[in-house]
């Protein structure tokens, strides 16, 4: 189950760099929910991890409207977002998967 959670969250985190986080969450939510239920686990920790993953659009200015607002006036380049955003994204992604599993342990469905 941890591998499935991580894989689906990784895909969602990558896609959220290209389109809005709400769109990615709406598309991937049913997939994550069904994956958790099919594995026989409570979907709550899976969905919490997903919601954290789709909100990590740090690598491109496309993924967040706030990044687009500062992109031009701030004189930033596309590579600036990648240079700073990628390490932050990796740390936040790994940390959120670990913390979600500590706070909301995966429990089998009754």
């Amino acid at each position: 189950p941890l591998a499935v959670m991580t894989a689906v969250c990784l895909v969602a985190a990558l896609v959220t760099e290209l389109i809005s986080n709400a769109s990615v969450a709406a598309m991937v939510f049913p997939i994550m929910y069904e994956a958790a239920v099919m594995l026989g686990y409570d979907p709550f920790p899976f969905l919490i991890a997903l919601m954290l993953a789709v909100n990590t659009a740090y690598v491109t200015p496309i993924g967040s409207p706030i990044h687009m607002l500062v992109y031009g006036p701030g004189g930033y380049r596309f590579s600036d977002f990648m240079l700073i955003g990628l390490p932050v994204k990796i740390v936040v992604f790994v940390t959120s998967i670990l913390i979600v599993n500590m706070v909301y342990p995966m429990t089998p469905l009754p």
Side-chain angles (χ1 to χ4, degrees):
L2 183 59
V4 171
M5 174 192 284
T6 305
V8 175
C9 285
L10 183 62
V11 169
L14 294 174
V15 174
T16 198
E17 295 297 338
L18 304 173
I19 60 176
S20 76
N21 58 353
S23 301
V24 176
M27 288 187 302
V28 181
F29 183 92
I31 297 168
M32 183 69 96
Y33 184 86
E34 286 299 320
V37 171
M38 286 176 62
L39 289 170
Y41 285 88
D42 179 27
F44 188 72
F46 289 80
L47 298 175
I48 294 293
L50 176 65
M51 293 306 113
L52 291 171
V54 298
N55 285 298
T56 59
Y58 308 134
V59 182
T60 65
I62 302 167
S64 172
I66 295 165
H67 291 167
M68 285 304 290
L69 285 172
V70 300
Y71 181 59
Y76 295 108
R77 296 181 313 240
F78 200 86
S79 60
D80 293 336
F81 284 91
M82 296 183 104
L83 200 72
I84 300 298
L86 189 59
V88 171
K89 185 175 191 98
I90 292 169
V91 168
V92 169
F93 183 82
V94 171
T95 305
S96 65
I97 293 291
L98 293 174
I99 290 175
V100 163
N101 284 296
M102 289 185 336
V103 175
Y104 304 106
M106 292 185 208
T107 55
L109 289 172

